[in-house]
Amino acid sequence: LLSCRLYCEEAKDPKRRSCQTVLAEALDIVVRSFAPILPHLAEEVFQYIPYKKDSQGVFRTGWINASSAWKKPGTEEAIEGACAMRDSFLGSISGKNALEYEVIIVIEPGLLFELMEALQAEETSSVSQLNEIMMASQTTLLSELPKETPSDANIVKGTFLINLEGGDICEQSSYKVIARPIAKAKCPRCRRYTAESSSTPCPRCLQVLAAGKGST
């Protein structure tokens, strides 16, 4: 997830920049957390952080002060739900390369489906947050099983309990996960199976490369 955003997206792409922001915030919190017991190490790490503008030191810049903007209702539940489905997917392919598969997630209309839509607005995507979490080359989000589903398809069923607003909103939803070998070729740049041929980058990578040439 991190490597794809950091190394495959355009330098100024919001996905890449948001990933850098999360890493920077996480590092800041971790350093301040262990500073009282490992002061010398914390101070050394703090001084080498390249984006810090001040040089007062970790002990003179205050304690942990995470922004309330990080606490967005539903985000934690959406990620946990997606991770539960990812575990079902990975378990169904028995240690094989997840990138060689496309995933179909089927959830009946309800709160869980809405949370997954927040991670993937399109029906099918290879670049959505949901697909990044699933670790597949492509993810499809549906409200019912596709008509062309083979009778022998490996369908993994599961449930996920959503608990919002301190328990005021509680809903248990069921889901189905189908893993299918993807028919596309491996992109030579991002290594996902989303290209038309093994010698040509996928549409996303072609767009990033074209944007990079235009900015030089």
Side-chain angles (χ1 to χ4, degrees), residues 42-146:
E43 186 63 37
E44 183 175 3
V45 172
F46 192 82
Q47 293 301 327
Y48 277 94
I49 293 177
Y51 48 82
K52 287 292 179 183
K53 300 298 183 182
D54 58 72
S55 58
Q56 297 180 21
V58 67
F59 293 100
R60 296 185 178 182
T61 54
W63 185 236
I64 298 170
N65 186 25
S67 172
S68 59
W70 294 100
K71 188 62 176 179
K72 186 177 180 181
T75 300
E76 182 178 354
E77 289 73 18
I79 299 300
E80 289 180 350
C83 287
M85 297 175 200
R86 179 192 61 196
D87 292 343
S88 297
F89 160 56
L90 295 178
S92 71
I93 61 175
S94 302
K96 297 178 182 177
N97 184 1
L99 290 174
E100 296 179 359
Y101 289 83
E102 63 174 320
V103 183
I104 300 174
I105 300 174
V106 182
I107 310 171
E108 293 184 357
L111 185 54
L112 182 59
F113 187 86
E114 293 175 3
L115 290 175
M116 293 306 105
E117 278 189 316
L119 300 176
Q120 178 170 302
E122 309 88 351
E123 182 176 284
T124 300
S125 178
S126 61
V127 297
S128 68
Q129 294 182 69
L130 179 58
N131 186 67
E132 289 177 340
I133 294 171
M134 296 303 295
M135 300 169 61
S137 279
Q138 179 175 286
T139 297
T140 299
L141 179 62
L142 301 173
S143 58
E144 59 182 14
L145 280 173

Side-chain angles (χ1 to χ4, degrees), residues 7-11 13 189 202-215:
Y7 300 114
C8 295
E9 299 292 353
E10 187 183 355
D13 188 281
R189 182 174 181 271
C202 66
R204 187 274 300 273
C205 287
L206 285 173
Q207 183 178 356
V208 172
L209 292 170
K213 290 180 180 179
S215 61

